């Protein structure tokens, strides 16, 4: 069994187990117990993202500076690295580990809570860049990759879902007030920026998915299909949060986190598959 | 007595597990267009030109190392058996 398949099995089993535990606790014990599971899932996602970052750096180093794959994997590595910083910041907030000098200063605290949140935006821009570079590189090969009308229809549908989330933005701000009660308005603005970028990423993923389908299978399509699942799960996390936050806040946080776990796991899978490809090129005879 | 090799099939067999069957087929067609032949008309004599035609595409899709490995494989299977 390949490393990628084993990882996929482990991640899928973890997601199912955590879902069962969450629903069991929420239905049978209490909401706070469910929230604890959501935070545990956050920590697990963080660990997967850390591994993915290390592996992405290793994959990147296997390409020469002038190769398109080097640019793509550099952008993916920066995306994961900056996202990891943002996630570590969030971990300090979730687990009450914010440094004392930050917590003690109103200005620093506001920057830490609201300003550094835009690390996610920066990382998403790198993800977007990587997808754009990949699409351009593939089209430059002369192979007949092209998006179809139905892909544009799907993009429209995804964009409409984003607009729906935009309409629910008030709920997102309320949710943010609950966990720290700081700068709810900034949170609302950030969420809208994040949803917009997430939608762009999802649309680009739909193009990449079409190209992967047009390949007709193969190892390279396997890599990019996993990236597509990651991108869609990433966008879905915002939509789930927006859709559920009015009626079930603990569930909203859990299912947002579950989407992000699927995102991290899928990205890890893509990196492992890409690593297997690069190793095939380097192994002797 | 030399064994006749279907170069089109060799290239397809090497490329399709990596790039998929449609990409493999199209890649051969594009490489053939450069030498103004159809895939069915390919002979061992065309191998160097076909490999040169495939190289930039494979380099972009698979990276330098794997592209070189794939081209070596096609050369070995195509030219080696002739």
């Amino acid at each position: 069994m390949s490393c990628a398949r084993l990882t996929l099995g482990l991640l899928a089993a973890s997601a199912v187990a955590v879902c069962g535990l969450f629903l069991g606790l929420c239905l049978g014990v209490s909401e706070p117990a469910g929230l604890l599971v959501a935070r545990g899932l956050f920590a697990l996602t963080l660990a997967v993202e850390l591994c993915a970052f290390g592996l992405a750096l290793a994959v990147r180093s296997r390409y020469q500076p002038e190769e398109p794959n080097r640019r793509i994997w550099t952008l993916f590595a920066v995306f994961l690295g900056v996202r990891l910083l943002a996630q570590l910041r969030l971990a300090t907030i979730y687990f009450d580990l914010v440094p004392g000098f930050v917590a003690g200063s109103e200005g620093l605290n506001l920057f830490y809570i609201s300003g550094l949140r835009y690390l996610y935006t920066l990382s998403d821009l790198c993800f977007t860049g990587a997808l754009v570079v990949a699409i351009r590189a593939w089209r430059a090969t002369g192979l007949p990759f092209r998006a179809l009308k139905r892909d544009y229809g799907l993009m429209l549908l995804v964009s409409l879902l984003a607009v729906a989330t935009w309409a629910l933005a008030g709920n997102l701000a309320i949710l943010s007030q609950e966990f720290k009660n700081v700068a709810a308005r900034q949170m609302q603005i950030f969420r809208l920026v994040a949803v917009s970028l997430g939608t762009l990423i999802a649309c680009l993923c739909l193009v990449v998915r079409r190209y992967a389908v047009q390949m007709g299978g193969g190892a390279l399509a396997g890599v990019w299909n996993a990236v597509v699942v990651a991108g869609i799960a990433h966008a879905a996390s915002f939509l789930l949060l927006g859709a559920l936050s009015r009626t079930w806040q603990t569930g909203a946080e859990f299912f947002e986190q579950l989407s992000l776990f699927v995102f991290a796991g899928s990205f890890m899978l893509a990196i492992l598959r890409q690593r297997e490809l690069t190793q095939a090129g380097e192994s002797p005879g | 007595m030399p064994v006749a090799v279907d170069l089109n099939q060799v290239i397809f067999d090497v490329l399709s597990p990596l790039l998929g069957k449609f990409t493999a087929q199209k890649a051969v067609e594009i490489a053939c267009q450069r030498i103004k032949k159809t895939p069915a008309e390919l002979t061992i004599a065309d191998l160097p030109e076909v490999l040169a035609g495939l190289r930039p595409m494979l380099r972009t899709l698979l990276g330098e190392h794997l592209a070189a490995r794939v081209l070596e494989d096609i050369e070995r299977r195509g030219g080696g058996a002739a």
Side-chain angles (χ1 to χ4, degrees):
Chain A
M1 182 185 271
S2 72
C3 187
R5 277 179 189 273
L6 186 66
T7 306
L8 179 63
L10 282 173
L11 292 172
S14 305
V16 170
V18 169
C19 264
L21 184 63
F22 173 74
L23 292 174
L25 286 173
C26 277
L27 297 174
V29 183
S30 64
E31 287 280 306
L35 189 63
L36 200 65
V37 176
R39 295 289 159 87
L41 187 56
F42 167 78
L44 189 59
T45 305
L46 193 58
V48 174
E49 286 179 330
L50 184 62
C51 294
F53 174 57
L55 286 167
L57 285 176
V59 167
R60 174 194 171 273
S61 69
R62 290 170 193 261
Y63 294 109
Q64 306 296 319
E66 67 279 5
E67 291 184 61
N69 276 327
R70 171 77 165 218
R71 286 196 292 279
I72 293 166
W73 286 93
T74 298
L75 284 165
F76 276 150
V78 175
F79 157 64
L80 289 167
V82 175
R83 183 176 170 80
L84 196 57
L85 285 177
Q87 289 282 75
L88 287 170
R89 164 202 152 275
L90 189 59
T92 63
I93 297 169
Y94 275 171
F95 302 116
D96 287 329
L97 297 170
V98 177
F101 71 96
V102 174
S105 160
E106 194 179 334
L108 266 181
N109 198 39
L110 185 66
F111 174 72
Y112 194 77
I113 301 288
S114 301
L116 289 183
R117 205 181 271 148
Y118 284 90
L119 285 171
Y120 287 113
T121 308
L122 186 62
S123 71
D124 284 352
L125 284 172
C126 292
F127 194 177
T128 308
L131 293 173
V132 169
V133 171
I135 289 168
R136 286 170 62 100
W138 293 351
R139 289 181 66 89
T141 60
L143 289 163
F145 293 125
R146 61 178 61 87
L148 307 180
K149 278 181 186 169
R150 76 186 83 148
D151 299 318
Y152 294 112
L154 274 174
M155 285 181 204
L156 184 65
L157 185 68
V158 168
S159 304
L160 288 174
L161 280 173
V163 172
T165 307
W166 189 287
L168 290 165
N171 298 319
L172 298 172
I174 289 165
L175 188 68
S176 73
Q177 281 176 326
E178 189 213 29
F179 83 79
K180 210 63 186 173
N181 199 23
V182 176
R185 187 75 189 157
Q186 280 105 326
M187 181 61 161
Q188 194 173 18
I189 293 166
F190 166 74
R191 288 285 186 189
L192 295 178
V193 171
V195 164
S196 305
L197 256 180
T199 305
L200 178 61
I201 288 171
C203 289
L204 289 169
C205 281
L206 288 172
V207 175
V208 171
R209 181 195 153 273
R210 174 59 56 199
Y211 291 3
V213 169
Q214 287 168 349
M215 286 180 187
L220 187 64
V223 172
W224 286 93
N225 279 331
V227 171
V228 167
V229 173
I232 300 287
H234 178 270
S237 66
F238 297 112
L239 298 179
L240 283 169
L241 184 65
L244 289 174
S245 56
R246 178 179 289 179
T247 51
W248 188 20
Q249 291 191 2
T250 307
E253 187 170 325
F254 175 77
F255 286 106
E256 181 201 28
Q257 205 50 62
L258 186 64
S259 289
L260 291 174
F261 180 71
V262 172
F263 150 76
S266 302
F267 218 101
M268 175 89 147
L269 187 66
I271 296 167
L272 285 170
R273 285 176 173 172
Q274 185 72 22
R275 194 179 69 151
E276 283 173 7
L277 257 183
T278 55
Q279 282 172 342
E282 288 168 3
S283 59
Chain B
M1 189 173 172
V3 178
V5 173
D6 182 349
L7 189 56
N8 178 28
Q9 189 62 45
V10 166
I11 298 171
F12 181 83
D13 289 345
V14 173
L15 294 186
S16 57
L18 294 167
L19 300 180
K21 55 187 177 190
F22 300 139
T23 311
Q25 206 171 2
K26 280 289 169 193
V28 179
E29 285 173 18
I30 289 171
C32 286
Q33 279 170 8
R34 290 169 189 242
I35 55 172
K36 296 184 172 52
K37 281 193 173 185
T38 65
E41 292 169 342
L42 285 180
T43 64
I44 299 306
D46 300 318
L47 191 56
E49 282 179 289
V50 171
L51 293 181
L54 288 172
R55 186 179 296 276
M57 188 188 302
L58 295 182
R59 193 173 165 273
T60 298
L61 294 172
L62 301 173
E64 188 76 51
H65 291 300
L66 187 53
R69 168 62 62 88
V70 166
L71 293 172
E72 276 171 25
D73 199 13
I74 294 171
E75 195 169 18
R76 186 174 49 78
R77 291 203 212 179

